[in-house]
Amino acid sequence: MNKAIVGLQWGDEGKGKIIDWLSSSSDYIVRFQGGNNAGHTVIYKGEKLIFHLVPSGILHKGKVCLIGNGVVVDPRVLVEEIRVLKSRGIDVNPRNLRISSLCHLIMPYHRNLDALREKYRLRKIGTTKKGIGPCYVDKYSRSGIRISDLIHPQIFKIRLQENLKEKNSLFRNTYHYPPFSFKKIYREYLEYADFIRPYIADVEEILQKATKQKKNILFEGAQGVFLDVDFGTYPYVTSSNTIAPALATGTGFSLRKVNKIMGVAKAYTTRVGEGPFPTELKGRKGDFFRRKGDEFGATTGRPRRCGWLDLVLLKRAAMLSDIDELIITKMDVLDELSEIKVCVGYKRGGRIINSFPTSLDKIQPVYDTLAGWKTSISQIKKYKNFPPAAKAYIKTIEKFVGVKVSYISVGKMRENIVKKAV
Ligand code: GDP
Ligand code: IMO
Ligand code: MG
């Protein structure tokens, strides 16, 4: 059984926790897009672990984690992440972590370009400044450097020289920023080459073989549907496709062989960075979610913007990622509320909008108000024991989105998850 997990909102839906939990029944866990802009949290033996590049399944023995060609790899981050995981007693080795040679590399100038572009941009995006955007730009302009280039010093040398010629002129003339030294980067990256070499693999071939052997593959999406470069709230998006079909181009695996696409959504909404957010709650109500849900970025530590659940967005996301099942996370964060709002429509200039708008700018949400359950649900193990108001909340989501909820996460620990019949 091959499954995919994707975020349905603006990222941070709790994908890490769900991936970790589903990993026990998977043989392969595969990242297919994004880079270390992702921060996937897993609570492991009572401690918080944040995964940026390594698939969150690495904690499970006997599994193979793969990084597909669609992922942009910052080798500095990869080396550090592996070091930290090992220091926590987690086994990471070239047998349980395999990386595609087709991955594009994030270079030091990508990180600086990201920060400088952001600084001079009139409409700030609020990027993670990890170099994600500039790296994907180079990929598509065909000047990028891939892992397959890095491991051949002569090829790497030419590619780096070529890139620095162009980038240094940009840094000097446009940004009045000191140029990068070829020697320094070359030396640093050759060390990474030695480190990464044993991990390199033909990910496409591994997945093909795994399918023939009827192994279970789990695809781990990063970010969320509304950060998708095409379907998200452009330009306030990331630079990759985040919808489920991106797994095909990001790994070389056929979408037709994926049996189940599971969409993860928080029981409310959050967003980090700039951009429209119709159900955002400013002030005390927003603070409530931030405090109760511990809503601070796993990658940058920035406070997340918080608001009510937007069902209009969720329905659209379910369509774009063609999801089979919904997983609702952080339901426990709503425990204390006596009333819960959900957005069931959009207005612009006081008028109801019937089709999904191209831009969410100046959109006013139309809310339905539901009763809260006013009791802690974190210890509940069976859906039948959920308070009636919590069940009504889930039913409202299912009815509006037109997709059944299969699991509800009610706390950050592995065991805080409730199965629901679909
Ligand atoms: P991801 O990027 O989608 O993997 O999500 P993040 O890890 O960035 O953010 C999710 C946060 O919510 C993490 O701190 C998780 O530990 C936490 N979390 C996940 N599921 C639940 C849940 O059901 N309840 C609560 N209270 N916290 C959760
Ligand atoms: P996970 O996988 C939440 C946001 C940034 C910014 C925009 C563009 O943990 O859900 P980028 O650095 O990608 O160019 O930034 O996208 N962003 C995320 N927000 N979760 C993420 O990943 C994100 N990855 C990028 O905050 O608004
Ligand atoms: Mg995250």
Side-chain angles (χ1 to χ4, degrees):
M1 175 78 135
N2 302 325
K3 296 177 186 164
I5 288 285
V6 288
L8 298 180
Q9 294 156 317
W10 278 291
D12 303 329
E13 295 90 350
K15 299 176 291 294
K17 176 189 156 158
I18 304 299
I19 295 282
D20 168 57
W21 177 72
L22 286 177
S23 291
S24 56
S25 55
S26 310
D27 302 299
Y28 293 81
I29 301 97
V30 197
R31 274 283 306 267
F32 56 90
Q33 45 71 232
N36 61 300
N37 47 350
H40 297 175
T41 313
V42 178
I43 308 292
Y44 174 70
K45 295 184 177 165
E47 275 187 68
K48 193 189 236 190
L49 282 176
I50 299 175
F51 294 92
H52 300 291
L53 272 172
V54 175
S56 314
I58 200 83
L59 301 172
H60 297 256
K61 286 214 160 55
K63 315 289 173 185
V64 180
C65 289
L66 304 173
I67 297 182
N69 59 282
V71 176
V72 286
V73 174
D74 186 330
R76 190 186 284 187
V77 173
L78 181 72
V79 168
E80 179 59 13
E81 189 161 327
I82 293 175
R83 190 193 64 74
V84 169
L85 288 171
K86 281 184 171 171
S87 76
R88 299 249 193 136
I90 296 147
D91 186 28
V92 187
N93 60 59
R95 287 175 307 285
N96 69 359
L97 177 65
R98 321 258 35 216
I99 306 169
S100 169
S101 59
L102 306 178
C103 290
H104 278 252
L105 289 168
I106 295 184
M107 305 298 291
Y109 47 80
H110 288 140
R111 291 191 294 261
N112 289 63
L113 259 181
D114 196 357
L116 286 164
R117 280 188 183 145
E118 188 67 6
K119 184 173 166 195
Y120 291 106
R121 207 172 255 137
L122 293 179
R123 286 189 305 186
K124 305 231 180 287
I125 295 171
T127 75
T128 58
K129 301 196 177 93
K130 305 292 182 193
I132 307 295
C135 183
Y136 276 116
V137 167
D138 280 357
K139 169 175 174 170
Y140 285 97
S141 75
R142 291 154 297 169
S143 56
I145 304 179
R146 302 197 290 186
I147 290 182
S148 56
D149 302 319
L150 176 70
I151 54 170
H152 296 109
Q154 277 314 313
I155 297 174
F156 179 59
K157 190 176 182 181
I158 296 167
R159 306 292 283 151
L160 181 60
Q161 278 169 339
E162 221 171 46
N163 269 282
L164 280 181
K165 201 169 158 203
E166 186 200 18
K167 296 309 189 282
N168 276 343
S169 142
L170 185 71
F171 279 114
R172 220 181 281 115
N173 302 322
T174 307
Y175 295 112
H176 311 292
Y177 191 87
F180 282 84
S181 144
F182 166 81
K183 244 192 198 158
K184 200 164 161 247
I185 301 179
Y186 187 65
R187 279 204 198 121
E188 182 186 338
Y189 272 64
L190 285 191
E191 278 182 31
Y192 298 143
D194 288 340
F195 181 91
I196 293 176
R197 197 169 277 114
Y199 292 90
I200 299 173
D202 184 339
V203 167
E204 306 86 278
E205 195 66 37
I206 293 176
L207 289 173
Q208 194 62 30
K209 273 194 191 140
T211 310
K212 285 202 178 120
Q213 294 167 354
K214 303 240 177 323
K215 299 281 187 194
N216 299 314
I217 307 169
L218 177 62
F219 292 89
E220 173 174 0
Q223 290 84 47
V225 166
F226 292 96
L227 288 171
D228 184 283
V229 67
D230 286 286
F231 302 105
T233 46
Y234 193 90
Y236 307 99
V237 291
T238 191
S239 296
S240 65
N241 284 111
T242 60
I243 56 171
L247 73 86
T249 51
T251 62
F253 192 76
S254 168
L255 198 60
R256 289 193 298 167
K257 294 197 177 81
V258 177
N259 309 92
K260 201 187 270 185
I261 300 176
M262 301 163 99
V264 185
K266 253 179 220 182
Y268 49 100
T269 313
T270 63
R271 169 161 213 175
V272 211
E274 304 304 317
F277 178 175
T279 61
E280 181 171 16
L281 292 167
K282 300 209 166 122
R284 279 204 0 246
K285 266 271 156 65
D287 289 343
F288 166 83
F289 287 111
R290 205 152 23 252
R291 188 173 38 80
K292 257 310 295 270
D294 195 15
E295 295 295 357
F296 294 88
T299 298
T300 57
R302 290 177 290 176
R304 294 175 182 152
R305 298 156 65 193
C306 302
W308 296 117
L309 183 62
D310 187 336
L311 290 176
V312 181
L313 276 191
L314 218 54
K315 189 173 179 175
R316 178 85 176 171
M319 176 189 91
L320 290 167
S321 271
D322 194 14
I323 65 163
D324 298 297
E325 287 175 13
L326 267 169
I327 298 175
I328 301 296
T329 60
K330 304 192 91 161
M331 185 92 171
D332 54 303
V333 174
L334 308 181
D335 280 353
E336 287 168 28
L337 298 171
S338 44
E339 280 189 343
I340 303 170
K341 289 188 181 176
V342 287
C343 171
V344 293
Y346 284 162
K347 276 185 181 172
R348 186 181 267 141
R351 283 224 185 117
I352 295 278
I353 296 177
N354 289 317
S355 51
F356 194 84
T358 312
S359 161
L360 294 183
D361 269 344
K362 300 195 174 73
I363 289 289
Q364 298 126 12
V366 178
Y367 288 119
D368 267 358
T369 304
L370 286 90
W373 42 94
K374 303 273 295 165
T375 178
S376 170
I377 58 170
S378 282
Q379 300 313 316
I380 296 179
K381 302 279 176 238
K382 292 213 160 90
Y383 186 67
K384 66 172 197 254
N385 298 331
F386 258 39
K391 283 186 184 162
Y393 192 66
I394 294 294
K395 277 216 182 84
T396 303
I397 298 173
E398 290 181 327
K399 200 166 162 220
F400 193 97
V401 179
V403 178
K404 292 285 184 193
V405 172
S406 56
Y407 290 95
I408 302 150
S409 174
V410 292
K412 53 174 72 165
M413 312 299 280
R414 252 184 207 171
E415 61 273 18
N416 298 137
I417 194 147
V418 177
K419 190 174 166 60
K420 181 186 154 293
V422 289

